[in-house]
Every structure is written in C-alpha cells, then in structure tokens.
Amino acid sequence: DQQVKQNSPSLSVQEGRISILNCDYTNSMFDYFLWYKKYPAEGPTFLISISSIKDKNEDGRFTVFLNKSAKHLSLHIVPSQPGDSAVYFCAASPSMDSNYQLIWGAGTKLIIKP
Amino acid sequence: GAGVSQSPSNKVTEKGKDVELRCDPISGHTALYWYRQRLGQGLEFLIYFQGNSAPDKSGLPSDRFSAERTGESVSTLTIQRTQQEDSAVYLCASSRDSGRTDTQYFGPGTRLTVL
C-alpha cells in the first residue's frame, strides 16, 4: 500500500518553462513533506521542505505547494534549466519529532529539453 | 568537505551468498540510516542508528538482514543467504541529528545484483 504516490514516472519540459511535479499522499497524519533530487549514480540531495502549517514554501526557483484537504503537494520549478534534469522524490514524515522512517514516493524523472 | 561514502559501488553475487555493504557517514553526524530502493519504487527504510541508542530495526525485511554501527562512525549492512529479491540499490544517509529539520545526506549507494 503506497502511502506516497508520484503518478508520473517521467516529465519532459522545455527549457525556460515551468516544471510541475506532483505528489499525493493517503495518510492525513503526515505533516511534514520533503522533496529530494537525484542525479544518476549519486544519492538523493535535499531540495525543499514544507510543514503542514504552511501551504507554500519558496526557495529561489523552487516552490512547494501543499493542499492538505486534497492530500496533494506539488513542486514548481521556474524557469526550468538543463541542470534540473534529474529524478525528483517526494517524501513524507509521519512523526512529529524525528525525520527517520520517511515514506518515499517512487520518483518522477524530469527531462529538460534545450 | 567529505560526504557520505559507500562501498562497494556495485556488487554482483550468487544466490545464497552473504554480502556486506559499508557506509562511512559524515563526521560528526550522530544519526545514520539505511534504505533500499528496488527498481521503479521509492526508498524503503531499513534501519536507523542514533548515537549509542539501540537501533530501530523495524524496517529490516527479514532476519537475513542485519546492521551494525560502531559509535558514530562506520556502519555495515549484512545480508545473509542472498535472494534474487534482494537485488536493489542500498542507500546510506547520515544527519547531524534526527530532528524533523535535520537534513539527511545520502551516499551514492551500492547496487546489489543477486544472480
């Protein structure tokens, strides 16, 4: 039973346009969410996070939106750049106190076309 | 500075053999995690070490899996009598602490193939 779902295995976006990566979750107890980015042959690297007390968090070109009623979050990248081509993972924290046992989605491969 | 390192980067083994995977966390990081990623799936939590506390082994899929960590340094993940379903990328991560905002830093992983 997948508690965190990324339904698009891949996404192709033109350089300079907006990339929107989506993530759905089923457990309403999740209250902290993270996005990680992974290049081939490397481990995932932390990108941005959001607490459920917020509905938006912005860091440069990256913005994460959280819709708690829909149990949905999305990552927006504007403008998209070739270096953004990577696999993006959504993860949720079920614990108020710690960040271990994160529940991870399967990832979305983002391809930025020149 | 040095990140999390893992060895070997690739391991091919025959079914039934034992394998040992190694993780060197970032110096000073008290928390260490092992994950497994099967093809096309998300990361699965395996085990968590925090300082000298007893590890949380709740994610280990069977008693063929075990892990050790000496203090706040190197950790080894051992899989005994490997099966084909153990084929996956095994990722190690460390963080300064285990608080919600303590970023986990991942190693490049060990790709295990069981023939």
Side-chain angles (χ1 to χ4, degrees):
Chain A
D1 178 32
Q2 279 189 291
Q3 298 188 65
V4 177
K5 296 181 183 179
Q6 294 177 257
N7 291 318
S8 298
S10 66
L11 175 68
S12 187
V13 174
Q14 199 74 36
E15 180 179 358
R17 307 292 283 266
I18 182 171
S19 295
I20 301 176
L21 298 129
N22 294 303
C23 178
D24 296 291
Y25 60 97
T26 57
N27 190 336
S28 58
M29 297 301 291
F30 291 158
D31 63 352
Y32 191 69
F33 304 89
L34 307 92
W35 285 94
Y36 276 76
K37 173 180 177 179
K38 184 182 182 303
Y39 292 119
E42 295 182 13
T45 56
F46 171 76
L47 191 57
I48 193 169
S49 63
I50 188 167
S51 165
S52 62
I53 62 173
K54 294 185 173 183
D55 54 17
K56 175 183 174 181
N57 189 25
E58 190 172 351
D59 183 2
R61 296 186 297 113
F62 302 90
T63 303
V64 56
F65 295 92
L66 176 63
N67 182 333
K68 284 175 288 184
S69 61
K71 297 192 185 71
H72 177 85
L73 64 158
S74 60
L75 175 68
H76 293 211
I77 307 173
V78 182
S80 301
Q81 298 176 355
D84 297 330
S85 295
V87 177
Y88 289 79
F89 291 97
C90 168
S93 170
S95 168
M96 286 292 291
D97 299 319
S98 69
N99 70 357
Y100 77 100
Q101 293 208 35
L102 293 177
I103 309 298
W104 295 73
T108 295
K109 184 175 183 179
L110 177 64
I111 300 164
I112 304 302
K113 299 178 292 185
Chain B
V4 178
S5 61
Q6 292 185 246
S7 61
S9 55
N10 279 285
K11 176 72 177 178
V12 180
T13 190
E14 293 180 348
K15 179 180 171 181
K17 300 280 189 183
D18 297 352
V19 295
E20 191 172 279
L21 312 179
R22 177 187 170 107
C23 172
D24 282 272
I26 293 172
S27 178
H29 281 192
T30 63
L32 185 146
Y33 317 77
W34 282 97
Y35 294 89
R36 174 172 73 175
Q37 186 182 18
R38 289 169 158 160
L39 190 64
Q41 298 185 22
L43 278 67
E44 300 172 67
F45 166 78
L46 296 178
I47 188 169
Y48 157 74
F49 295 91
Q50 172 61 50
N52 293 316
S53 302
D56 180 343
K57 305 179 181 180
S58 60
L60 295 178
S62 78
D63 59 7
R64 296 186 296 104
F65 288 71
S66 63
E68 291 185 356
R69 186 184 188 194
T70 307
E72 295 182 358
S73 61
V74 170
S75 176
T76 54
L77 177 69
T78 302
I79 309 173
Q80 296 178 308
R81 305 181 302 282
T82 53
Q83 304 294 313
Q84 287 182 332
E85 64 261 27
D86 299 335
S87 295
V89 176
Y90 289 82
L91 289 158
C92 174
S94 71
S95 62
R96 190 176 308 277
D97 204 331
S98 60
R100 286 164 64 84
T101 58
D102 288 298
T103 301
Q104 294 185 34
Y105 295 86
F106 282 82
T110 294
R111 181 175 296 279
L112 175 65
T113 303
V114 182
L115 302 177

